[in-house]
Amino acid sequence: MSSNDIDPSIAALLNESGPASPSFGMDFEKMILEQEAEKKPKKDSFVPEVDLSIKEFKEVTHVYNDSPADWFEDPNFYKTAIAGEGQASQRLHQVLSKYLTCKDVKDRMVYRQQVIMAYWEFIHSIAPKMADKNADITKRMLVRFAVLLPSLFKPEQKELFEKTILDNETNEPVFYLDEWFRGIATGKIKCSTTDEVRQPRKAGNPEEAAVQEQQRLMQLQSKNSGKLQNAEALLNVKESERGMLEAELKSRIDNLCDHQPVPGCDPHKEGYTETQRKLLSDITNYLHQLSKNDKELTKALNEYKDAMEVYNSVTDKIAMGPDITTVNTGDIDTEFETVRQMAKMTCGRQGNQFPIFTREFYHCLPQGTGFRENVVNILKWVESIDPGAFCRIHKNMPNRIVPFVVLLPTYGDYGFCWEPFDRYNRVTSRGRIVVPMYPRDLKIAVLTAVADLRWQVAKEKASYYWMEEGLTGQYYEWIDKQKLKGDLKQYFIQDYVLWMTKESDGVQRLDKEVRGIFWRNIPFPQALKDTLKTRSLVYDELCKKDRNREMSDGY
């Protein structure tokens, strides 16, 4: 949109005194100052729990609805979206009007910065209303896609956004911003961690105290759900191990008890053969293994029973407690500041910080726009090449735990990991990654987020020895040997992107030593390895080293 044009939605609201001095009409001023009645959110489970039995993403084939909705067809969209937030609405309207009608380039840059500040102030005011699933769809679309003026769409862009799927049909923890605020406000998602120490909120009345207790129980249930699944998975492994040992034992006992008749000495039978005598030591060995397995299985069974008892107890308490009907404004305020920082980080210092959707800055293809379904399909692709991307090891068992994915309507190009897991539940809690919705390359934005997650999980696993052990230790030693300066993690993220986009196709772009580090610590699936070794001697040599390690105890 050129500086000489003004959006008709705003023009209709400006006084007849002209665009140079925009002001409100009396009707619109009343609309702004009226606060909308708060609606009570319904109790539901739109935040999927961690399920360790799920091993992969399902491919999303239903990416768009067949016919567009009419979200952006309302001629009063702008009025409805901006109204009801008092001074925040008024300030945004004023500075946006000045920005769109300004002709001077320098003044326009000043108004642009004012629009950015006023917009985020407005979002801060509107965020608590997202706690209601049935909140006004206009305000939800504003928070979700940053669409304030539908006339800033191109016709084909408007149709594309109106075809997007409103609710989460993927059952994956991928959230638009309005859904994220809703999860935080209702206590279904914990606030993102920050460097500042959060002060506990004091309950002002019995109802608020009951709500806080209900939220605490819901968080406890989520934590215990992961523990229960982990205990059950370990129990299943031990039961499976016992079954295999017993089958081997039965087979050997059957062979041991099979005696051939002695010719001419019926009904007498021969003694143990040499092979059967060897079975005696095998049977003794299997009995020792079964004894060890029984101890481990008994322990796992007791842990499972304890976890089940705690989970059922918490579930019963939640069922007897009240529905959460109030919004946790303290958590919303805290999370809003975090989200504001996240938005800046997706763009970087030199990026486009403008927060409102406009065709001037949106240049994505439909499949390159950060809609939930597109992001889930990219995550599926990532996992197909890097099967361990979302796995954390606990008791020598890999637990697949998909992180929360927050989709922010920004023009940033960088995804990142905000936290690798909950500091109070490292075993089964979800991490958090952030993905911008309108990047130049959505696949790269997702890859940078996954790379950041991988680095932080590996670093936390190695703890104090992260510069010496594991993936981070090996990579740090290589960087130190090369005497490279700069952000170590950024080097890793760049190499991870090359590993996933180039090396996975047999195009060699990494240093030989880095390729070896990634091959060992971020391995491709075996089928892809078998394909790569036929394309180049480099990968064939790495496969030979794999076989050598398999034959040694150190693999």
Side-chain angles (χ1 to χ4, degrees), residues 433-480:
I433 63 176
V434 180
V435 177
M437 292 186 63
Y438 312 132
R440 284 176 293 183
D441 190 324
L442 182 61
K443 182 177 287 187
I444 298 300
V446 174
L447 277 176
T448 56
V450 175
D452 196 358
L453 174 69
R454 256 216 175 268
W455 177 265
Q456 292 197 46
V457 169
K459 188 175 180 180
E460 291 290 339
K461 179 182 178 183
S463 189
Y464 299 108
Y465 305 100
W466 72 269
M467 290 188 291
E468 303 171 15
E469 298 180 355
L471 171 63
T472 55
Q474 295 174 33
Y475 192 79
Y476 172 80
E477 289 178 3
W478 180 80
I479 290 289
D480 187 55

Side-chain angles (χ1 to χ4, degrees), residues 358-376:
T358 169
R359 59 177 175 267
E360 182 181 356
F361 303 133
Y362 174 79
H363 304 295
C364 303
L365 295 172
Q367 64 271 24
T369 304
F371 299 131
R372 180 179 7 239
E373 293 72 22
N374 288 337
V375 172
V376 170

Side-chain angles (χ1 to χ4, degrees), residues 218-228 424-425 428:
M218 290 167 64
Q219 293 175 357
L220 185 62
Q221 183 191 43
S222 177
K223 181 177 179 179
N224 284 326
S225 173
K227 287 185 177 180
L228 178 63
Y424 301 113
N425 178 17
T428 57

